[in-house]
Structures are given as structure tokens and as C-alpha cells.
Amino acid sequence: MNYQKKIFTLCLTIISLQLFSQDWVGFSDLREKEEGFVIENSGYTTKGIIQIKPCSEKIIINTKDSTIKIDPLLIKLIQKGTHTIIPKFFNDSTDFYFCEAVDTVHTLKIYKGYYCGNSHTTGVIGFMGSAYGYSPVFWRSYVLSTDNKEAVSLDNTADGINMVSYKKQLRKIFANNQKILQYLDSYKKIKFEDIPKVVDYINSIY
């Protein structure tokens, strides 16, 4: 009986992990005001209603007494609803992500990252012709790093449309490891949702 309970518990755990891995926070969820807490790098914790402004990289906490704005560089983690979000800078602070850790224990660390990029837009201004500008676009990314300083991102659109294969990009990253290249070539196409599984295998031989 105990053996059956253990198997049942294991199955539930696996299902829960799979559901968690697919639980991407949406752009609206990220920005939504929600109760939680922020832990700063110093260890100081602030509780309140938290709002994240991803395109301006601002964290706002409304407490009973005041409204506090905290620089993401000072934050260790944000607990907001069911999500533990880590503000992280990579590549000499040129790339900023609101991350959720997928695996940070093994050699190749992987995060689910959220960031705002710029999309080229064209507008028309009367007889003056076309005007060019940029508008913010929310992206989902898997962020890969070995040292938590330098990182590469594998990006997907915020609405989950997956039009590309990530095989070529991964082959370029691991060009000097023949065993990893052979594994990657076992895939005809590597989809966005395949990336954690691929990274898990790479960590087993890395």
C-alpha cells in the first residue's frame, strides 16, 4: 500500500512540475497590481501591493503607509502571486530580464525571462509622408548562462506563436562540443517548449 502511495505521489509531483514549467506569466499578469513581497539584496523585506512596469524597469510597492519605488538592481527577488520573479542583468548590464528560475543548480543555468524589446513601426503624417518609430514589444525568452553574468536568450513572441526552430542557434552556442551537436541533430526542429528538455540533457553531459 505504501509503495502505491509513493508511486501516486511521484506521479502527482511530475504532473505538477510539468504544469509549473508551462505556467508562463503573461504581460498583463506581470504588470497587474498584486499582493506580495520584495526581498532586497541587503535582506530587507517589504510587503504590499506590487506592480511591475517591465518596459520601464520599475518596481512599485504600495504599503499601508506609503508608495515605494525600488531600483531592480537592488532586488533579490519578487514574490508576486504564485510567481517568484528575479530581476537580472546580463552581458555587462546591457540585457535586463524579469526572470523565473527553471534550473540554476547545474552548469548551464536556465531562466524563463520576460523583457521589452523594440519593434520597428511606420506611421503616416499627412502630406509629409511616412514617419518611422519604435514601439515596445513584450517577449518571452529562455535565458541560458553558465556564470550568471554572460547569457544568451532564445526568444519567442509574447502570445506564444512559435514560428522558428532553435536548433541552429543552439548548434552555434555549442559548436565545440561534438556530443551535444549529435544530440541536437537528433531533432528535426527544436521548438520553444523543447528548450528546457534540451538543456536538461546538455547538463547531463556538460
Side-chain angles (χ1 to χ4, degrees):
M1 187 66 177
N2 284 337
Y3 178 75
Q4 289 178 332
K5 283 183 178 179
K6 286 179 181 178
I7 294 293
F8 180 72
T9 303
L10 179 62
C11 290
L12 281 178
T13 303
I14 291 169
I15 291 168
S16 298
L17 287 171
Q18 287 176 339
L19 288 173
F20 175 77
S21 67
Q22 296 169 5
D23 183 23
W24 283 87
V25 63
F27 190 43
S28 59
D29 298 324
L30 196 66
R31 294 186 304 172
E32 185 178 287
K33 294 180 181 179
E34 197 169 7
E35 192 169 349
F37 59 87
V38 169
I39 300 177
E40 296 181 42
N41 294 324
S42 63
Y44 187 77
T45 301
T46 305
K47 296 180 181 179
I49 305 298
I50 300 168
Q51 184 181 19
I52 298 173
K53 294 189 173 182
C55 293
S56 57
E57 297 170 12
K58 290 181 180 177
I59 314 297
I60 300 170
I61 309 171
N62 287 298
T63 67
K64 291 180 180 178
D65 304 318
S66 60
T67 298
I68 304 167
K69 296 180 181 179
I70 305 179
D71 186 333
L73 274 173
L74 303 176
I75 294 174
K76 184 177 181 179
L77 65 85
I78 302 163
Q79 186 63 47
K80 187 173 179 285
T82 58
H83 295 277
T84 301
I85 299 166
I86 308 166
K88 285 195 73 69
F89 284 90
F90 292 103
N91 306 326
D92 292 328
S93 299
T94 57
D95 296 315
F96 178 81
Y97 298 87
F98 286 103
C99 295
E100 289 185 280
V102 178
D103 179 1
T104 57
V105 175
H106 296 98
T107 303
L108 183 58
K109 301 170 195 339
I110 177 171
Y111 298 88
K112 294 189 295 186
Y114 318 91
Y115 75 100
C116 277
N118 285 320
S119 175
H120 186 73
T121 58
T122 303
V124 178
I125 307 179
F127 296 106
M128 299 296 291
S130 297
Y132 298 94
Y134 293 90
S135 61
V137 177
F138 184 60
W139 293 87
R140 303 188 310 169
S141 298
Y142 280 113
V143 185
L144 310 182
S145 175
T146 56
D147 60 6
N148 269 325
K149 293 179 182 178
E150 296 296 312
V152 294
S153 64
L154 307 173
D155 306 326
N156 197 20
T157 55
D159 55 13
I161 297 173
N162 188 5
M163 302 296 290
V164 300
S165 172
Y166 299 86
K167 179 177 173 179
K168 186 176 180 180
Q169 196 171 350
L170 286 165
R171 285 189 100 266
K172 186 176 180 181
I173 295 167
F174 300 103
N176 296 323
N177 191 311
Q178 196 59 38
K179 195 169 183 180
I180 291 176
L181 291 178
Q182 288 175 354
Y183 169 71
L184 294 175
D185 285 340
S186 68
Y187 287 85
K188 184 177 180 181
K189 179 181 180 182
I190 296 177
K191 298 178 181 178
F192 190 72
E193 58 267 24
D194 294 332
I195 293 170
K197 178 174 62 177
V198 170
V199 171
D200 188 50
Y201 177 80
I202 290 171
N203 271 324
S204 72
I205 60 175
Y206 206 42

